[in-house]
């Protein structure tokens, strides 16, 4: 596989500095060599740079850094569309606001290819706020709502050429949802699997059920992997820690199932904050998870749960 690595060093979507260092930390943790060791062709395309920030104001005074995020979204969207024409794009965040751009660009590509785009959103949060509903004002909480075409972004974010069908989105590992987001998720028809569902049914059953639908509809699958999908005990390097996340084995099993499906066509890795890490262990874990998704095997077979 031709893996195209591209960084999006964005931290304006959150209120804590450090995510801009995420792409560098993932590279330093050996992402490229890990994928090369699996036999993949790896092309590091450097980092995206945002254009000039527009002059825009929003009536919601809580919103932070709207002009900067609008500029980043436009630049990332164009880059995502461009590099998704061939190969396997891997977008290194940066906070989760980068997915406003990655999803916009990948969705345009899916329309061009005539195939439906599905999204597996691995995160403690659904990031389904609009500019009107966000109370924190942190714009890493809006990308999935924007990409799904929810109202309120026109005139502030770049025009969305190919909105996602929210019924083809599965949020998995959710355990922190605001009331406005919960109502919007239900109305939009997003598939929501919280950690209670993981506890009750097991992560394998939930992932396989979603993959079966992707396969049945001949879809493309974008995976957006947020560090806070994981329990903070194993992945402390994130500014939005929420207890009770996926365990080491649950996360690896999800990646192994995704690899075996041969359906994943693009990937985000987001919210790694190296300033909060413990000797790089979160960065190393994220590299290991990506390696599992892209085929790392033990004893000649895919790794299996103990």
């Amino acid at each position: 596989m031709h893996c195209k690595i591209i960084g999006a060093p964005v931290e304006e979507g959150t209120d804590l500095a450090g995510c801009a260092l995420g792409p560098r930390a993932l590279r330093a943790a050996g992402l490229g060599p890990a994928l090369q060791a699996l036999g993949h062709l790896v092309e590091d395309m450097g980092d995206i740079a945002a254009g000039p920030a527009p002059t825009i104001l929003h009536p919601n005074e809580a919103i932070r850094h709207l002009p900067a995020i609008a500029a980043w979204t436009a630049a990332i969207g164009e880059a995502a569309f461009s590099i998704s024409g061939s190969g396997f794009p891997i977008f290194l965040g940066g906070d989760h606001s980068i997915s406003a751009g990655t999803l916009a660009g990948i969705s345009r590509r899916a329309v061009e290819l005539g195939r439906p785009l599905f999204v597996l959103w691995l995160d403690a949060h659904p990031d389904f706020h609009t500019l009107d509903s966000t109370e924190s004002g942190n714009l890493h909480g809006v990308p999935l709502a924007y990409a799904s075409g929810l109202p309120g972004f026109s005139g502030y974010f770049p025009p969305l050429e190919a909105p996602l069908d929210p019924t083809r989105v599965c949020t998995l590992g959710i355990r922190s949802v605001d009331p406005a987001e919960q109502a919007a998720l239900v109305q939009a028809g997003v598939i929501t699997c919280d950690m209670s569902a993981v506890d009750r049914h097991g992560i394998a059953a939930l992932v396989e059920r979603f993959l079966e639908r992707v396969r049945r509809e001949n879809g493309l699958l974008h995976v957006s992997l947020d560090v806070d999908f994981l329990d903070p005990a194993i992945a402390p390097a994130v500014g939005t820690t929420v207890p009770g996340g996926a365990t080491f084995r649950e996360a690896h099993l999800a990646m192994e199932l995704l690899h075996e499906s041969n359906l994943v066509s693009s990937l985000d890795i987001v919210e790694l904050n190296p300033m909060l890490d413990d000797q790089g262990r979160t960065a190393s874990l994220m590299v290991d998870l990506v390696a599992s998704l892209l085929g790392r095997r033990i004893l000649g077979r895919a790794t299996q749960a103990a």
Side-chain angles (χ1 to χ4, degrees):
M1 183 180 292
H2 183 184
C3 297
K4 296 181 175 180
I5 294 173
I6 190 163
V10 184
E11 64 184 17
E12 289 89 346
T14 182
D15 60 358
L16 186 65
C19 281
L21 302 174
R24 182 185 303 176
L26 289 164
R27 290 176 172 117
L31 178 62
L35 301 183
Q36 288 173 331
L38 295 170
H40 299 297
L41 172 64
V42 177
E43 180 181 4
D44 193 325
M45 307 183 73
D47 287 348
I48 300 165
T55 302
I56 46 176
L57 294 173
H58 192 277
N60 183 349
E61 295 181 356
I63 291 177
R64 308 165 185 257
H65 308 300
L66 177 58
I69 294 300
W72 274 115
T73 299
I76 295 168
E78 288 302 317
F81 177 73
S82 176
I83 71 170
S84 61
S86 63
F88 183 89
I90 302 175
F91 303 96
L92 310 182
D95 65 64
H96 219 153
S97 68
I98 77 163
S99 296
T102 62
L103 289 173
I106 294 291
S107 185
R108 281 176 59 198
R109 180 63 66 186
V111 169
E112 184 179 89
L113 295 173
R115 296 177 65 186
L117 179 64
F118 288 77
V119 176
L120 181 61
W121 193 264
L122 302 172
D123 196 337
H125 313 84
D127 296 339
F128 214 64
H129 271 296
T130 67
L131 297 180
D132 295 311
S133 71
T134 177
E135 295 181 1
S136 73
N138 295 325
L139 295 182
H140 66 170
V142 308
L144 194 52
Y146 162 72
S148 298
L150 265 63
F153 291 94
S154 178
Y156 301 103
F157 273 42
L160 192 60
E161 295 186 29
L164 293 174
D165 178 349
T167 68
R168 291 190 172 114
V169 175
C170 177
T171 58
L172 178 62
I174 301 301
R175 54 197 188 278
S176 178
V177 186
D178 293 332
E181 287 181 298
Q182 184 173 1
L185 289 164
V186 171
Q187 183 175 2
V190 174
I191 303 165
T192 303
C193 301
D194 61 11
M195 284 306 297
S196 176
V198 173
D199 293 340
R200 289 170 181 269
H201 305 290
I203 201 163
L206 299 175
V207 172
E208 288 175 332
R209 184 185 306 160
F210 186 60
L211 290 174
E212 177 53 35
R213 184 176 169 203
V214 180
R215 185 178 295 110
R216 187 169 62 247
E217 298 186 30
N218 190 32
L220 300 172
L221 177 58
H222 178 81
V223 174
S224 196
L225 174 60
D226 189 311
V227 172
D228 71 19
F229 168 67
L230 304 165
D231 192 88
I234 61 171
V238 63
T240 51
T241 54
V242 184
T247 66
F248 180 90
R249 276 306 315 146
E250 285 171 334
H252 271 286
L253 179 55
M255 297 301 108
E256 293 155 9
L257 292 170
L258 289 168
H259 171 69
E260 291 168 9
S261 76
N262 200 32
L263 292 170
V264 182
S265 52
S266 51
L267 172 69
D268 298 331
I269 312 168
V270 300
E271 295 286 350
L272 175 66
N273 188 332
M275 295 174 65
L276 304 175
D277 212 353
D278 176 13
Q279 298 182 333
R281 69 186 178 107
T282 308
S284 295
L285 174 55
M286 298 304 283
V287 169
D288 286 345
L289 290 174
V290 176
S292 286
L293 190 153
L294 288 171
R296 180 175 284 172
R297 303 170 77 85
I298 294 175
L299 300 177
R301 59 182 174 84
T303 54
Q304 299 292 322

